[in-house]
Each structure stands twice: as structure tokens, then as C-alpha cells.
Amino acid sequence: MRRLFGGAKKTPGPTLADATDKVNARGTALDEKIKQLEKQLNEHKQQMAKMRDGPAKNRIKQRALQVLKQKRMYEQQREALYGQAFNMEQASFAQESVQDSITQVNAMKDTSKALRGQMKNIKIEDVERVHDDMDDLMQDSQEIQDVLSRSYAGMDEIDDDELNDELAALDDELLAEDDGLADVSLLCECFLVMKISCSELP
């Protein structure tokens, strides 16, 4: 029958993540039980604080001791579960790290293969020739810029000393003109004073 219809499909086993989640869930359930026992223990302590010594108080004390023992047992179980969960998380992390490494290696292999194929389309001689051409073009461009920046004919033959002497002579002429204007202004003022003085005579 199995040959005709095939055997039952094998179900995949639980993963580390599934096992870790299950252990953590059990730990959470134990935490809730521990909280309930702590609440009961506090209630017993409050009852004993209000009671006098005697059989009734001893019965409450026995209940409190039983609750405390149960609480300690749950705490030990919880610590054991958390230890198991931690170990499984470490194993899961190691497994993921190995898988990531495999993925990275495969990606590097694919990249190396692609680069090898691309390098077949590039020749070092072509690269060197393009570089030399660009170098020649840059030199030609620099020469063009140098030619365009040259002074026109006759501009470099002008003597700077002659220009300075001419500028100094121009300053002297301007100063002389200022002195002449000052003399004319003084004569005008004198003439005006004499005219006013004559107008005042009887």
C-alpha cells in the first residue's frame, strides 16, 4: 500500500526558535504562579502578625511554610527553564551566524564571477591609451589658455618707470592748477573788498 500511495509525509521537527518559545512560555507561567504564592504568603504573614501564639497561629504558620516551599520549587524550575532557553538562543545565534556566512560567501562568489566576466570586456591597453589621450588633451587645453592669456603686441614694451614719471608730472600739473585757482580766488576777494570800501565813501 505504501508503494502505491506513498508513505506518510515526514513532518519537520521543531526548530530551535519553536523550542525556545515553548520554554519561555513555561517560564512565564511559572512567574505567574510565583506571584500568586507571594500574594498568599503575604496574607499569611499579615494574619500571623495579628494573632496570638497558639494552635491557630501555628496552623497559619504551617500553611505559610508550605507556600514558601512551593514558591522555592517553582523558582528553581523557572531558573532551570531560563537556563535552557539561554542555551538554545546561543545555539540559534550560532546557526544563524553560519547561515549568514554561507550567504556572504555565495554572494562574494557571484560577485567575483560577474567581475571576471566584466573584466574580459576591458583591456589594459585601451585604458592606457585613453589615459594618454586625456593627458594630451589637457596639455593642449593648457597651451590654449596660455596663448589666450598673453598680452597683445606692444603692451609688454611699455616701461613702468616712464609711466611712474608721467604720473608724477601729472600730479605736479594738477597741483599748479590748484595754486593758480587759489591766486584767482584771492584776487577776487581783494577786488570785492575794495569795491565795498569805495561804495561806502561819501
Side-chain angles (χ1 to χ4, degrees), residues 23-138:
V23 170
N24 287 329
R26 291 174 60 191
T28 302
L30 286 176
D31 286 335
E32 293 297 327
K33 291 181 179 180
I34 291 171
K35 289 180 181 179
Q36 294 177 1
L37 292 175
E38 288 177 348
K39 183 178 180 181
Q40 295 178 14
L41 188 61
N42 290 330
E43 291 176 354
H44 292 329
K45 288 181 180 180
Q46 293 176 2
Q47 290 177 358
M48 288 188 296
K50 299 177 182 178
M51 298 173 66
R52 296 179 180 180
D53 294 338
K57 185 175 183 180
N58 290 334
R59 285 194 297 270
I60 299 298
K61 185 176 181 181
Q62 290 298 322
R63 294 177 186 174
L65 289 174
Q66 186 65 29
V67 171
L68 184 59
K69 289 180 182 179
Q70 192 174 4
K71 176 175 174 291
R72 293 287 176 82
M73 181 185 65
Y74 285 157
E75 287 175 347
Q76 291 177 356
Q77 293 177 358
R78 181 189 61 184
E79 293 301 323
L81 288 175
Y82 284 165
Q84 295 174 13
F86 177 77
N87 291 334
M88 286 188 290
E89 287 175 355
Q90 291 294 104
S92 179
F93 178 78
Q95 183 182 15
E96 291 176 357
S97 298
V98 172
Q99 186 61 43
D100 291 340
S101 298
I102 294 174
T103 302
Q104 293 173 10
V105 170
N106 291 333
M108 293 176 66
K109 288 181 179 179
D110 294 339
T111 303
S112 177
K113 183 178 180 181
L115 285 174
R116 192 177 294 108
Q118 293 172 350
M119 289 299 293
K120 292 180 180 179
N121 300 324
I122 301 177
K123 295 181 179 180
I124 301 299
E125 295 82 3
D126 294 338
V127 176
E128 291 179 348
R129 183 167 55 254
V130 171
H131 184 274
D132 292 339
D133 291 342
M134 290 297 298
D135 190 19
D136 293 338
L137 290 173
M138 293 300 294

Side-chain angles (χ1 to χ4, degrees), residues 3-4 11 15 21 28-30 43-44 49 76 108 112 129 131 150 163 166 176 183 191:
R3 292 181 180 179
L4 294 176
T11 58
T15 63
D21 292 340
T28 302
L30 286 176
E43 291 176 354
H44 292 329
Q76 291 177 356
M108 293 176 66
S112 177
R129 183 167 55 254
H131 184 274
R150 292 176 186 172
L163 292 176
E166 185 176 349
D183 294 338
F191 178 75

Side-chain angles (χ1 to χ4, degrees), residues 142-187:
Q142 185 62 42
E143 291 179 0
I144 293 173
Q145 296 298 323
D146 292 341
V147 171
L148 292 176
S149 62
R150 292 176 186 172
S151 300
Y152 290 105
M155 294 296 294
D156 294 335
E157 298 177 357
I158 299 176
D159 189 0
D160 291 338
D161 293 335
E162 293 180 0
L163 292 176
N164 291 327
D165 294 339
E166 185 176 349
L167 182 61
L170 181 60
D171 290 337
D172 293 338
E173 291 178 2
L174 292 175
L175 182 60
E177 291 179 359
D178 291 339
D179 292 340
L181 290 175
D183 294 338
V184 172
S185 177
L186 180 60
L187 290 173

